[in-house]
Amino acid sequence: MISNEKIQEMMSALGELKAAKEQEIEELRVKWLGKKGEITQLFEEFRGVSPEQKKEFGQKLNALKNAAQAKIEEMKAALNDIADAGKASFDLTKPGDRMDLGARHPISITREEIISIFKKFGYSVAEGPEIEDDWHVFGALNFPPEHPARDMQDTFFVHPQGDNPILLRTHTSSVQVRTMESSNLPIRVICPGRVFRNEAISARAHCIFHQVEGLYIDKNVSFADLKQAILLFAREMFGPDTQIRMRPSYFPFTEPSAEVDVSCNICHGKGCNICKGTGWLEILGCGMVDPNVLRASGIDPEIYSGFAFGMGIERIAMLKWQVKDLRHYFENDIRFLKEFETVI
Ligand code: DAH
């Protein structure tokens, strides 16, 4: 019999309805709103309701009928949404979304390449601290006490007082000292790392950059061995036709010392704006380890000799990819970094 409770109960039952298929929705529609449906039934009974109750029941019945119709429509719409979503995810011909992969930083790529070349020659990797003392950065490397590199102008000091000030290393040559102090002979290492110098930032200079130091110590190591090692490296790095030339130079920790140029990999020696018309590009400094340096680390220069070299990773990377402004490497502009996405 029609009653407030009955209508209320049916209203709550409506809220609970669920259907997974079109057919089930149709069955529910017939059950509720069909010719013999429950709501239709109530409308039949409504005829017998007393006139004073007609208004109240009339409104409630209409609300129930509207709610039932809305519920049926809602279930149909939900089913359509699922069908559409299903179609989209199962369209096997649709191309996948491109994944935006990150790229390695060009300095990392270059460092790894330098390391892998020297590993092939039998070198292992050694590392040391970025915060160093004066002894490992200067003293043991035969820098005279008044050498300008020790000056505040070039070096960032962490703790400038005392006879062995603490500072940020200005070159990775400090790692050769640590290696000589702690390793058995012979030694064949490369030392990649970050270095710090108090320089104004420009297209050609930065206060933080990266170097790779190399050190080879054994009996009977000669300048010819140094030259051969550098030539093999240059050819692996810049291509098999690369030539090198050595110019006499000076470093406190090597004697004799040289700077090494490679033939310009852009114009192949003809002269262009990258090599400033000379056909040559400077890549590193090197030399035979000074006997004073060997002695400072407890190695007898009468028995052992060795060579060392040091190069800037940014510089090698600039030459390799013709990057004209050093600052690109530090600004992390995604448009620059993305250019290296395809370099494996
Ligand atoms: N330490 C030098 C620099 O920072 C680079 C260098 C030159 C390293 C000659 C060496 C070398 O080992 O033999 O500029």
Side-chain angles (χ1 to χ4, degrees):
M1 194 52 204
I2 189 164
S3 68
N4 274 327
E5 290 74 37
K6 174 85 179 162
I7 294 174
Q8 188 55 47
E9 194 182 294
M10 286 172 74
M11 204 56 139
S12 332
L14 267 184
E16 307 285 302
L17 289 187
K18 277 194 188 78
K21 293 185 202 135
E22 223 172 291
Q23 199 194 334
E24 287 171 6
I25 298 176
E26 180 55 14
E27 279 166 16
L28 286 172
R29 194 195 63 77
V30 171
K31 179 169 178 270
W32 289 75
L33 296 162
K35 272 200 182 130
K36 293 194 178 129
E38 293 184 28
I39 294 176
T40 322
Q41 205 68 50
L42 285 183
F43 273 98
E44 292 292 324
E45 289 170 17
F46 176 70
R47 291 189 195 172
V49 164
S50 65
E52 53 280 12
Q53 284 187 308
K54 272 222 151 105
K55 191 172 174 218
E56 189 195 344
F57 277 134
Q59 280 173 350
K60 287 190 173 160
L61 267 183
N62 276 327
L64 180 66
K65 188 180 164 189
N66 290 341
Q69 278 168 343
K71 181 74 190 180
I72 300 284
E73 290 311 314
E74 185 192 302
M75 288 194 292
K76 280 186 187 165
L79 213 58
N80 283 340
D81 283 353
I82 292 169
D84 285 350
K87 264 185 228 143
S89 61
F90 291 117
D91 181 358
L92 296 177
T93 62
K94 207 171 166 255
D97 290 338
R98 191 166 173 265
M99 269 243 257
D100 227 5
L101 285 183
R104 277 192 304 154
H105 194 283
I107 296 303
S108 304
I109 297 170
T110 312
R111 186 191 57 223
E112 294 306 319
E113 192 172 347
I114 296 169
I115 291 175
S116 80
I117 292 171
F118 280 104
K119 275 194 171 166
K120 274 196 274 187
F121 302 161
Y123 287 70
S124 52
V125 175
E127 286 185 83
E130 292 177 345
I131 301 175
E132 259 295 4
D133 56 24
D134 184 280
W135 170 252
H136 289 93
V137 176
F138 300 124
L141 286 164
N142 201 34
F143 278 80
E146 298 307 319
H147 194 282
R150 294 179 174 223
D151 203 284
M152 285 276 192
Q153 303 295 315
D154 287 315
T155 308
F156 289 114
F157 285 89
V158 176
H159 187 55
Q161 292 83 18
D163 12 316
N164 194 16
I166 304 298
L167 40 86
L168 299 184
R169 67 181 178 195
T170 56
H171 56 182
T172 43
S173 304
S174 54
V175 188
Q176 29 162 304
V177 178
R178 291 202 171 267
T179 309
M180 286 189 283
E181 285 171 350
S182 65
S183 308
N184 295 328
L185 294 158
I187 291 171
R188 208 178 331 181
V189 289
I190 45 164
C191 322
R194 193 158 60 152
V195 301
F196 309 84
R197 281 186 205 174
N198 194 359
E199 299 215 37
I201 295 169
S202 72
R204 299 175 61 87
H206 209 286
C207 55
I208 301 177
F209 55 101
H210 300 80
Q211 289 186 328
V212 175
E213 181 80 14
L215 178 70
Y216 182 17
I217 298 180
D218 203 347
K219 289 175 183 154
N220 301 319
V221 178
S222 71
F223 199 90
D225 298 321
L226 167 63
K227 195 173 168 192
Q228 186 65 9
I230 302 295
L231 178 66
L232 290 176
F233 163 72
R235 291 195 167 160
E236 291 271 336
M237 193 76 204
F238 296 105
D241 304 330
T242 307
Q243 303 292 324
I244 63 166
R245 84 176 173 184
M246 295 181 122
R247 286 177 286 105
S249 186
Y250 172 77
F251 301 102
F253 34 92
T254 44
E255 182 58 36
S257 305
E259 272 165 311
V260 177
D261 300 338
V262 290
S263 51
C264 179
N265 58 335
I266 313 300
C267 64
H268 301 284
K270 287 188 205 78
C272 66
N273 66 343
I274 299 287
C275 60
K276 302 205 181 67
T278 63
W280 296 97
L281 299 162
E282 187 191 322
I283 58 158
L284 55 80
C286 63
M288 300 306 291
V289 181
D290 194 291
N292 288 342
V293 173
L294 293 174
R295 230 175 269 123
S297 296
I299 296 172
D300 185 349
E302 300 300 327
I303 306 173
Y304 287 96
S305 58
F307 63 72
F309 54 86
M311 65 187 103
I313 302 183
E314 279 79 2
R315 172 141 187 94
I316 303 281
M318 281 170 104
L319 298 178
K320 205 169 159 65
W321 288 299
Q322 290 133 54
V323 175
K324 299 216 176 79
D325 192 323
L326 188 70
R327 288 169 290 196
H328 286 307
Y329 291 128
F330 301 96
E331 279 163 4
N332 284 333
D333 183 331
I334 206 84
R335 291 166 301 177
F336 172 73
L337 296 177
K338 266 187 173 294
E339 291 183 41
F340 299 89
E341 246 174 6
T342 52
V343 182
I344 317 274

